């Protein structure tokens, strides 16, 4: 996936991620995941399948993000 950060001239990042359960969760307990992500620079040309991402929900300027988990402090 290519992640496109907000802002003029912001970097585009090529991201590869994997996740696996660390152990089978007990009934009523949340699962514990072990994850790894490799992030590399992407080619500079924008592409139609770039995914808009923010640096984190609290600092993301994208108000209509379907993945938002907490309000932005940017207003």
């Amino acid at each position: 996936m290519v992640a496109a950060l907000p802002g003029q001239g912001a970097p585009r990042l090529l991201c590869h991620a994997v996740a696996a359960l660390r152990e089978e969760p007990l009934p009523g307990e949340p699962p514990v995941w072990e994850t790894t992500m490799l992030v590399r620079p992407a080619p500079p040309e924008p592409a139609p399948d770039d995914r808009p991402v923010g640096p984190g929900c609290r600092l993301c300027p994208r108000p209509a993000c379907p993945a938002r988990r907490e309000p932005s402090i940017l207003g």
Side-chain angles (χ1 to χ4, degrees), residues 5-74:
L5 291 167
Q8 187 74 7
R12 295 175 64 250
L13 305 170
L14 182 58
C15 304
H16 302 275
V18 294
L21 280 173
R22 184 178 291 171
E23 57 191 41
E24 209 45 50
L26 297 172
E29 295 290 321
V32 177
W33 293 92
E34 190 165 320
T35 63
T36 301
M37 182 179 285
L38 173 65
V39 179
R40 301 182 301 152
E45 311 81 36
D49 60 344
D50 284 1
R51 179 171 294 182
V53 299
C57 289
R58 300 287 288 168
L59 299 174
C60 183
R62 293 185 169 101
C65 178
R68 182 171 296 284
R69 298 294 177 249
E70 57 185 336
S72 173
I73 62 172
L74 301 178

